Structure formats: C-alpha cells, structure tokens
C-alpha cells in the first residue's frame, strides 16, 4: 500500500489506510468473532465513529451495527490506533463518509479508506499512553463523583425517608455512625400531623411552599440580533446527566434578551427541573442542583432550556434538601406519577407536583447539619478539573498525531497535570 504524506508545520508523517494496521484474520471475520482484550469496537450505524476499548475478556458477539478492530501490533501500537480513531481529524473523515439522513450509516467497506498518520513507534507509544492515562484519570474522577452522590443519597434516605436516627433514639439506641452532638439534634419519637406520622418537631410541606421563585426556561436564538443580544449557556434535560458526571461539551451557547435573562439566570443553590421530554422507558423529572463550581465552567450566564424549569428554594439549606429529594424520587421512579403523554412528548405536571409532593422538613439545626455535610459532596469541586483534563486531552491529541506538537513540548505542558 502506498503511503501519502501528512505535512504540518514542518512535520512529515507517512499516512496510511487503516487496513494496513488491522490483523487480516480479524478483518475477514470481525462480524463473527468474539472481541478480545485490546480490540476496538467501532460503531457503524446510528452514531458512526464511536469507539470503545475492550479491556477485559467478554462473552458476546459483535452486533451488526458495529465492527471489532484488532490492531496488528507489529505494525502499529494498538493504543495509538485507538487514540487516532478518536482524533478530530479522523472523526471528520468519518463524518464525510456518512450515508443516510434519518439514521447515519458508515459502510464497513469504507473503513479501509480512513487515513491514519503514523509517527515513529516511540511517538505512537507516547501518544497512545498519553490518551489512555488522561482518559483513565477522567473516568476515575467521574467514578469518585458518582460515589459522592451515592453517599449524599444514602444520608438523605436515612435521615428523611427512613428516619433512622429518630427510630434509633426511640428504641433507646445510639444512631449508627453518628457522633453525640449530631445525634442530640434529632427527636426521640414521632407525632401525628395532618399529613401523617412525622418526627417530633418536624413537618411535612408541599414542595412548592419551599420555593421563592420558579419560572419556565428559555431557548433564545442561534445568532445575536437586536432582540437577542446576550450570550447564554442553555441547560437542557439531556445535558443534566453530563453535567452531573463532569462534562459540559454539549451544552449549547445561544443568545437571549437581557430582560428575559434577569428572571432565568441560574445562581448557586438553584435547581433545574426537566419538565418535558423523556421516553417510554425514561420519565421526565431529572434534576440538577446548581453550584458555583458548575457555573464557573461557563464563560457566560447560564439558564434552563424551554423544556426545563428553574426552581429557587427559600434558603440554601433547603436547596440542598430539595435537590436530594428530587434525585431520590427520580431514582425511585416516582416522577412517572407526575407526567402525562398526550402528544407523544411526555410533559411533567409541574403545578400538580408542587402542590402534591410532600417533603419532610426537619428542625433548623438538623437541616443545617445535613446541608453542611452534603453540600461539599455535591459541590463537585473536581468537575472543573474533569473538564480541563478532557479539553486538554482532546486539544493535544490531534496536534500530536499530526506532528504540530513534538514530544518535548507536550511533556512540558503536562508537568503537574497528572500524577
């Protein structure tokens, strides 16, 4: 196979078709075999070009909408091939080869037309290891974030759903895993209320009674004009999982009237509630608790999209409680009770929810203690680190592959970024 040249800023790398680096037996049978550790799963239909690295032995065959790519390690460093397939230049090639409009499709026969720049083996190993190190660090931070959320949810359920500390004291036991000062904040029994049995001195309140401000979202315009003159980041329901996991890449930047932004601009302690969308398997009602660290990822004001709603709690401590309450009932599946689907699009019955959903509101001391424990967990101070790592990785990768950036320069940029 004849190589072409990739010349960028004086760097000269041979560029070859991908099939030069794929094990021939795998290339002939990739739809029938089982993937092995080190193989690359390549999606051909739906979201062409998405890839995944097979880390461990698996017991499944390849679906018809993907191929399993096994690198010929004698010709190319497998991790480098994976990184190259994820680089912006190769992804642009894949985008240009799409067929179909409703469901994009990448023909399996076009795989061998992709051009892969190939530096020296030492450079391949550096680039491949660099990409994996960054990606593993990002994944570790996301897992840590998920763990922190799980801890916050477990504490919420124990204190405000199961009332574990109150039940323990009622039975003459010390609340498990709690110091004496915190345990002293809880009552030692329950009392009847109009809305049911509640810890002594606590109350049940309608969700809406605990809000000072609520308003529907906005969508604005794609480009600025006389009316839409202010740049904003628009958080959609589909962005909520990404933001909670540590990314913001898909959040659209649009333009809105400054007057409209006044009542919709998100601030620390607000909650974004998804009120339209969902699917037959996924209810509406996903929620995002807003923190300064999250807002700090954007270079402009942030507001909810038109299919979401801004909820502003009466106090910051109540915001922590309500954010956890929303996460709990969503995972429980309770938000199904607050939606209808008359037009094919599920809509959250916000008014009904605000008037019907009950929240266990504790004494001020218990609420303050809960907030002081949980707020640091959901502050997600590391989210900006995740975003910086992802942006640095995705910025450096194409420059390394093309030869714009040399190894000594890269090592200098990475000093202090990774352990």
């Amino acid at each position: 196979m004849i190589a072409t040249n990739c010349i960028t800023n004086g760097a000269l790398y041979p560029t070859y078709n991908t099939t030069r680096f794929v094990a021939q037996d795998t290339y002939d049978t990739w739809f029938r075999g089982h993937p092995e550790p080190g193989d690359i799963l390549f999606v051909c239909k739906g979201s062409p070009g998405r890839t995944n690295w097979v880390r461990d032995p698996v017991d499944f065959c390849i679906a018809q909408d993907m191929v399993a790519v096994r690198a010929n390690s004698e010709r190319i460093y497998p991790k480098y091939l994976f990184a190259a397939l994820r680089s912006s230049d190769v992804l642009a090639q894949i985008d240009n080869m799409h067929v179909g409009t409703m469901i994009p499709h990448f023909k399996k026969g076009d795989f061998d037309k992709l051009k892969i720049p190939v530096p020296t083996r030492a450079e391949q190993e550096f680039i491949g290891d660099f990409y994996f190190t960054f990606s593993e660090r990002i994944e570790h931070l996301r897992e840590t974030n998920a763990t922190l959320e799980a801890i916050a949810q477990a504490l919420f359920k124990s204190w405000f759903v199961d009332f574990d500390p109150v039940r323990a004291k009622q039975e003459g036991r010390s609340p498990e895993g709690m110091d004496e000062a915190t345990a002293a904040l809880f009552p030692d029994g329950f009392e009847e209320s109009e809305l049911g049995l509640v810890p002594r001195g606590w109350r049940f309140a309608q969700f809406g009674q605990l809000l000072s401000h609520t308003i529907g979202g906005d969508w604005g315009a794609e480009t600025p004009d006389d009316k839409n003159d202010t740049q904003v980041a628009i958080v959609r329901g589909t962005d909520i999982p990404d933001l909670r996991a540590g990314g913001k890449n898909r959040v659209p930047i649009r333009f809105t009237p400054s007057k409209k932004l006044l009542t919709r601009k998100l601030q620390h302690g607000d909650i974004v509630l998804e009120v339209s969308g969902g699917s037959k398997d996924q209810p509406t009602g996903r929620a995002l608790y807003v923190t300064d660290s999250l807002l700090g990822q954007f270079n402009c004001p942030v507001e909810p999209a038109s299919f979401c709603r801004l909820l502003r709690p009466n106090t910051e401590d109540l915001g922590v409680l309500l954010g956890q309450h929303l996460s709990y009932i969503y995972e429980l599946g309770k938000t199904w009770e607050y939606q209808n689907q008359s037009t094919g699009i599920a809509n959250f019955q916000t008014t009904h929810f605000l008037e019907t959903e009950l929240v266990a509101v504790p004494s001020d001391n218990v609420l303050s203690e809960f907030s002081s424990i949980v707020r640091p967990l959901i502050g997600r101070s590391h989210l900006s680190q995740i975003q910086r790592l992802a942006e640095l990785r995705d910025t450096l990768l194409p420059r390394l592959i093309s030869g714009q950036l040399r190894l000594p320069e890269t090592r200098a940029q990475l000093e202090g970024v990774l352990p």
Side-chain angles (χ1 to χ4, degrees), residues 235-243 250 274 282 286 308:
V235 175
R236 305 162 297 179
T238 189
D239 297 318
I240 289 175
D242 289 340
L243 290 170
R250 297 194 303 162
E274 176 192 41
Q282 175 189 297
R286 290 180 292 188
C308 293

Side-chain angles (χ1 to χ4, degrees), residues 83-93 95 394 397-399 401:
L85 290 173
R86 286 197 163 189
S87 68
S88 56
D89 290 343
V90 175
L91 289 174
Q93 294 180 51
D95 286 342
D394 297 339
L397 180 64
R399 297 176 64 196
I401 289 177

